[in-house]
Amino acid sequence: MDTKITLIKDDITTIQADAIVNAANSSLLGGGGVDGAIHRKGGSQILEECKAIRNRQGKCATGQAVYTSAGRLPAKYVIHTVGPVWNGGGRNEPKLLADCYSNSLRLANELDVKTIAFPNISTGVYRFPKKEAAEIAIRTVRDFVSNENRTVEEIIFVCFDDENYLLYKELLKI
Ligand code: AR6
């Protein structure tokens, strides 16, 4: 399949994709940053579904992904993934960040998702260096598209801050 990889600078809660990805924490119960915006604008339905997941499986481990509906957001699903907290890079952070992208895309395939939007996972409160995070995100998404993808036709990187947007623009050469 010919999958498009695109870039925009926007608020991910406004994106009309089949799935948007949330940079959650392992509690799945909300927080600040993009997580706060998704729960605030999406309404209580998302939190109710997150609580049901907690009751079923407990916390969500770093690098893993789960999904809920998107409540009042224009998307169909929210895929919640837990990025690593940056602790200097020696605690498997790069692999765990790559896992966030590949596990979210695997879930997207299971859900028959055609368009998916990613925020810049771990590059806010979790302090992952932005350039390294962008390189990992792009490499992992491209690998997935070449090797595993069945359903996704467009992957959108949604940057919120100028620094990330310019980094992605440079790395994607678009
Ligand atoms: N749309 C798109 N991107 C956004 C938005 C938005 N509305 N708001 C922020 N960003 P962060 P993390 C960008 O801190 O580092 C939460 O409290 C932001 O510019 O949201 O993975 C969770 O509950 C940054 O580039 O997530 C966790 O506890 C990127 O989203 C913790 O933060 C990620 O920043 C997760 O930290």
Side-chain angles (χ1 to χ4, degrees):
M1 182 188 295
D2 203 10
T3 304
K4 274 198 296 184
I5 298 176
T6 56
L7 172 68
I8 50 173
K9 185 165 173 283
D10 209 339
D11 173 347
I12 204 165
T13 60
T14 66
I15 305 291
Q16 286 205 15
D18 291 337
I20 62 167
V21 177
N22 181 19
N25 60 61
S26 59
S27 82
L28 296 175
L29 299 180
V34 68
D35 194 10
I38 286 172
H39 280 281
R40 207 165 42 244
K41 295 200 190 158
S44 57
Q45 172 74 24
I46 300 175
L47 185 60
E48 290 312 313
E49 291 181 42
C50 283
K51 284 181 183 160
I53 294 167
R54 282 283 310 247
N55 291 338
R56 227 166 36 233
Q57 67 160 54
K59 290 185 176 184
C60 183
T62 305
Q64 299 302 304
V66 299
Y67 78 96
T68 64
S69 68
R72 292 197 298 264
L73 299 176
K76 246 189 256 172
Y77 302 109
V78 178
I79 293 177
H80 307 260
T81 188
V82 182
V85 177
W86 180 260
N87 268 305
R91 297 196 188 168
N92 213 23
E93 294 96 327
K95 166 73 166 65
L96 290 166
L97 184 62
D99 287 349
C100 289
Y101 287 91
S102 51
N103 285 325
S104 295
L105 287 165
R106 284 186 191 119
L107 205 46
N109 270 258
E110 283 171 32
L111 295 166
D112 206 20
V113 158
K114 298 200 167 30
T115 51
I116 181 169
F118 280 99
N120 308 136
I121 301 163
S122 283
T123 67
V125 176
Y126 282 179
R127 305 182 316 271
F128 205 113
K130 289 180 179 173
K131 181 155 189 271
E132 195 178 341
E135 286 165 354
I136 291 166
I138 292 168
R139 190 186 331 124
T140 307
V141 160
R142 283 184 173 154
D143 279 357
F144 189 89
V145 165
S146 309
N147 299 316
E148 283 188 60
N149 183 43
R150 287 180 299 102
T151 71
V152 180
E153 294 169 3
E154 184 176 10
I155 298 168
I156 310 163
F157 286 115
V158 182
C159 298
F160 199 57
D161 56 273
D162 287 327
E163 194 186 345
N164 267 316
Y165 181 72
L166 292 173
L167 274 168
Y168 274 79
K169 205 163 150 52
E170 169 84 25
L171 290 168
L172 289 166
K173 307 211 184 312
I174 51 180

